């Protein structure tokens, strides 16, 4: 984790967080660079969200490779998941930091806020392979609660979980031939 206080008012909070996370590194805002962005797994900006966003925007490319980015206001009241919420772990980091600080986590990911599966994390969670050509389209359709066919032709801990927790817009099938085909 790299902690970047944006102003001198953020420094005390940055030091408090760094002392609680032994592997954290504290760097000055003026020392932030593209290299910092590309090598970090987690970035924690402390200060205004707009400054955080403008700082990382030129470097953000893909949710599968971008680091988890969290922004904490300088008073420590809000911890905002900014980038790579699911895949990079920013949502989890925001919740963890908010718990530590007694702050409010701000998570805007629709699946989190509607208690739906985070489809892009299921492969890692259950050691599966993701074979979707356009994952963003599939995820958008799912979180928009479009009718979804779920094929459970194998049994494991993950498929048991999906079967047990399926949302109302998901219809479960156990054989591919049972799934109605669109014309």
């Amino acid at each position: 984790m790299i902690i970047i206080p944006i102003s001198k008012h953020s420094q005390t909070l940055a030091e408090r967080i760094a002392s609680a996370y032994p592997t954290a590194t504290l760097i000055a805002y003026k020392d932030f660079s593209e290299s910092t962005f590309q090598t970090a797994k987690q970035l924690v900006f402390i200060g205004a969200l707009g400054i955080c966003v403008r700082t990382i925007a030129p470097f953000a490319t893909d949710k599968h490779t971008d680091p988890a980015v969290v922004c904490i206001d300088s008073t420590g009241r809000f911890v905002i998941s900014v980038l790579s919420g699911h895949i990079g772990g920013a949502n989890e980091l925001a919740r963890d930091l908010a718990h530590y600080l007694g702050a409010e986590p701000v998570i805007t990911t629709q699946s989190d806020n509607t208690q739906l599966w985070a489809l892009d994390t299921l492969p890692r969670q259950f050691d599966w392979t993701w074979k979707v050509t356009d994952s963003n389209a599939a995820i958008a359709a799912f979180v928009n609660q479009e009718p979804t066919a779920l094929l459970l032709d194998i049994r494991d801990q993950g498929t048991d979980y999906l079967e047990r927790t399926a949302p109302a817009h998901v219809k479960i099938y156990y054989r591919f031939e049972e799934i109605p085909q669109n014309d």
Side-chain angles (χ1 to χ4, degrees):
M1 170 190 306
I2 297 176
I3 304 169
I4 307 108
I6 294 173
S7 70
K8 68 178 184 173
H9 299 289
S10 306
Q11 188 67 32
T12 303
L13 184 56
E15 290 170 1
R16 178 178 168 204
I17 294 168
S19 70
Y21 291 82
T23 60
T25 302
L26 199 60
I27 68 166
Y29 176 69
K30 65 183 176 58
D31 294 332
F32 184 82
S33 67
E34 180 176 4
S35 174
T36 306
F37 184 88
Q38 291 179 347
T39 58
K41 291 199 183 304
Q42 300 175 320
L43 295 170
V44 178
F45 284 82
I46 303 175
L49 176 61
I51 295 170
C52 168
V53 170
R54 282 190 297 277
T55 302
I56 65 171
F59 314 122
T61 57
D62 182 87
K63 68 181 181 179
H64 297 282
T65 57
D66 291 339
V69 179
V70 168
C71 183
I72 304 172
D73 72 291
S74 60
T75 67
R77 185 172 172 204
F78 297 104
V79 181
I80 307 161
S81 174
V82 179
L83 187 65
S84 294
H86 283 145
I87 296 292
N91 292 355
E92 183 180 336
L93 179 61
R95 285 187 192 96
D96 186 52
L97 287 166
H99 178 75
Y100 170 71
L101 296 171
E104 181 71 29
V106 179
I107 311 293
T108 60
T109 310
Q110 186 173 344
S111 57
D112 285 30
N113 294 334
T114 55
Q115 286 72 53
L116 292 173
W117 302 319
L119 296 181
D120 48 1
T121 65
L122 293 174
R124 180 179 56 208
Q125 185 178 351
F126 296 111
D127 197 29
W128 294 341
T129 302
W130 182 263
K131 292 185 178 182
V132 177
T133 323
D134 184 357
S135 65
N136 287 335
I139 291 168
F142 178 74
V143 298
N144 286 322
Q145 300 186 18
E146 293 180 19
T148 303
L150 174 62
L151 176 62
L152 298 179
D153 60 351
I154 62 165
R155 301 307 300 198
D156 67 11
Q157 179 184 7
T159 58
D160 290 346
Y161 167 77
L162 295 177
E163 183 177 47
R164 194 174 57 254
T165 62
H169 69 283
V170 173
K171 181 157 180 168
I172 298 173
Y173 297 92
Y174 299 95
R175 294 182 41 227
F176 181 78
E177 298 77 25
E178 297 172 344
I179 302 173
Q181 301 301 310
N182 292 336
D183 294 313

